[in-house]
Amino acid sequence: MKGFWKEYGICINRCIFFAASVLLLLGVDQYTKYLASAYLKGGHSIVLIENVFQLHYLENRGAAFGVLQGKKLWFVAITVFMLAAMLLVYFRAPKGRRFRWLRLDLVLLTAGAIGNLVDRLSLDYVIDFFYFELINFPVFNVADIYVTIGMALLAALILFYYQEEELEMLWPFRRKKNA
């Protein structure tokens, strides 16, 4: 019985950490989007570094580089699927330090996905406002930063940190190997 409560307590701690971390990051994302809407909407860009970087309000109804404009249902469905997969992997990851980076990464990816999902569901578009004019990079937001850092970290973890067997045990729908 003692082991049950210890295991139950660890699960609760994981849930609390996950929810609190995602909510904190989501709050930062939504607050910055509120500020962008309040101060930049209507063409009031703020140049931070001349010809290099500015804050510029944009309502994005598609994905990066403006692809798939107006495909809200598709984005919502893909996001919900990805959130379910990330939650599954997060809670299947063994406790301990070895998978701490993966759990942190999944917090970043989840916060980024939810941040843009909130916009899509409530506004029918995503508010973007960071613009690197120097390289004419697509306008982006804080949630996009979370997703970009999260994907880069995930790639590094998969390529250089975890072994294939460790990754296979995280996904319950893995293929069975022939004996």
Side-chain angles (χ1 to χ4, degrees), residues 102-175:
L102 179 63
R103 285 191 291 275
L104 173 66
D105 186 51
L106 291 168
V107 165
L108 280 171
L109 291 169
T110 300
I114 292 174
N116 285 337
L117 181 63
V118 166
D119 284 9
R120 286 189 203 288
L121 292 175
S122 62
L123 304 170
D124 287 334
Y125 55 84
V126 173
I127 296 173
D128 290 331
F129 54 91
F130 291 127
Y131 177 52
F132 278 103
E133 183 180 359
L134 179 67
I135 58 174
N136 195 25
F137 195 79
V139 184
F140 60 98
N141 61 45
V142 173
D144 297 335
I145 295 170
Y146 298 157
V147 171
T148 302
I149 291 171
M151 289 306 293
L153 178 58
L154 183 61
L157 291 172
I158 289 171
L159 292 172
F160 305 113
Y161 189 69
Y162 294 118
Q163 296 176 358
E164 187 175 343
E165 296 80 27
E166 291 175 305
L167 296 172
E168 284 179 0
M169 74 178 186
L170 296 174
W171 192 246
F173 308 110
R174 61 187 179 265
R175 289 182 283 155

Side-chain angles (χ1 to χ4, degrees), residues 1-165:
M1 193 67 164
K2 208 176 202 182
F4 170 79
W5 288 112
K6 182 178 179 186
E7 196 67 35
Y8 183 69
I10 289 171
C11 181
I12 289 175
N13 289 344
R14 267 191 190 174
C15 291
I16 290 171
F17 173 79
F18 182 80
S21 300
V22 168
L23 287 173
L24 176 67
L25 293 173
L26 181 60
V28 170
D29 172 64
Q30 291 299 300
Y31 184 64
T32 58
K33 289 174 180 174
Y34 162 77
L35 292 173
S37 183
Y39 295 103
L40 301 173
K41 194 172 185 174
H44 302 95
S45 296
I46 299 173
V47 176
L48 298 175
I49 303 172
E50 188 70 36
N51 297 320
V52 176
F53 182 67
Q54 63 180 276
L55 302 177
H56 176 79
Y57 182 85
L58 177 73
E59 295 175 356
N60 185 355
R61 287 170 171 74
F65 306 102
V67 299
L68 299 171
Q69 289 290 314
K71 304 289 185 195
K72 175 183 168 180
L73 184 60
W74 189 85
F75 286 117
V76 170
I78 293 297
T79 302
V80 168
F81 173 77
M82 293 307 297
L83 286 170
M86 289 185 291
L87 285 171
L88 182 68
V89 171
Y90 183 90
F91 289 106
R92 284 185 61 87
K95 59 187 175 200
R97 291 181 167 202
R98 179 102 177 122
F99 288 90
R100 177 180 7 183
W101 286 107
L102 179 63
R103 285 191 291 275
L104 173 66
D105 186 51
L106 291 168
V107 165
L108 280 171
L109 291 169
T110 300
I114 292 174
N116 285 337
L117 181 63
V118 166
D119 284 9
R120 286 189 203 288
L121 292 175
S122 62
L123 304 170
D124 287 334
Y125 55 84
V126 173
I127 296 173
D128 290 331
F129 54 91
F130 291 127
Y131 177 52
F132 278 103
E133 183 180 359
L134 179 67
I135 58 174
N136 195 25
F137 195 79
V139 184
F140 60 98
N141 61 45
V142 173
D144 297 335
I145 295 170
Y146 298 157
V147 171
T148 302
I149 291 171
M151 289 306 293
L153 178 58
L154 183 61
L157 291 172
I158 289 171
L159 292 172
F160 305 113
Y161 189 69
Y162 294 118
Q163 296 176 358
E164 187 175 343
E165 296 80 27

